[in-house]
Amino acid sequence: MERENTHSDQAYQILHFGFTLAPILAGLDKFLHLLVNWDQYLAPVIARMLPFSGHTFMLIVGVIEIVAGLLVWLKPRIGAYVVMAWLWGIIIDLLLVPGYYDIALRDFGLSLGALALAKLSEVEVKVPAAARAQARTA
């Protein structure tokens, strides 16, 4: 008998896929600039504190985002909290740049999604899917 997916299973799968793919794509685009020139989002006050160029910093950010996406894929319970914290760092940066408050608000919503994935991951770890399926058929 095939296992029926619950709504929480489906939500977990959607969030797991999304929070794996989005950071990886955003990280890759820090190198490609196909979506946007990401350097514009770095707050000048932060850029002035760096020991290297803002562009170099954004390349480092890209690598971190790729690693964060891979961490979500491999260890979603940990990776989701990492992505949530990373998004809060981005939110703080965006609040220091006038005109990007809408993007900060969007990233706040994304951070809530990352938190939801972390919480759902805790359930997935405590009760493996196979055990839940077996319990339903018993």
Side-chain angles (χ1 to χ4, degrees):
M1 178 176 208
E2 189 172 316
R3 179 180 179 276
E4 179 184 327
N5 280 341
T6 65
H7 293 297
S8 62
D9 291 332
Q10 292 169 4
Y12 170 82
Q13 291 166 0
I14 291 165
L15 291 168
H16 188 215
F17 178 76
F19 281 103
T20 295
L21 190 62
I24 291 172
L25 291 177
L28 288 172
D29 199 54
K30 300 295 188 294
F31 296 90
L32 303 174
H33 290 281
L34 297 174
L35 298 173
V36 70
N37 178 2
W38 295 93
D39 300 353
Q40 70 182 330
Y41 296 118
L42 181 59
V45 66
I46 293 174
R48 285 191 297 272
M49 294 187 309
L50 298 173
F52 38 75
S53 73
H55 181 71
T56 299
F57 178 74
M58 294 309 285
L59 294 176
I60 294 168
V61 165
V63 171
I64 292 169
E65 288 174 341
I66 292 166
V67 170
L70 293 173
L71 184 60
V72 169
W73 180 254
L74 298 171
K75 299 277 189 184
R77 186 175 181 188
I78 298 166
Y81 283 114
V82 169
V83 169
M84 182 190 74
W86 186 254
L87 284 163
W88 273 96
I90 293 170
I91 290 166
I92 292 167
D93 171 75
L94 291 170
L95 292 175
L96 296 172
V97 183
Y100 293 122
Y101 303 132
D102 57 330
I103 299 172
L105 179 61
R106 179 209 57 200
D107 286 352
F108 173 72
L110 286 171
S111 75
L112 296 178
L115 177 59
L117 175 59
K119 294 300 183 182
L120 287 169
S121 296
E122 292 173 11
V123 172
E124 290 291 315
V125 169
K126 288 179 186 170
V127 183
R132 285 196 312 271
Q134 188 176 26
R136 278 196 283 265
T137 59

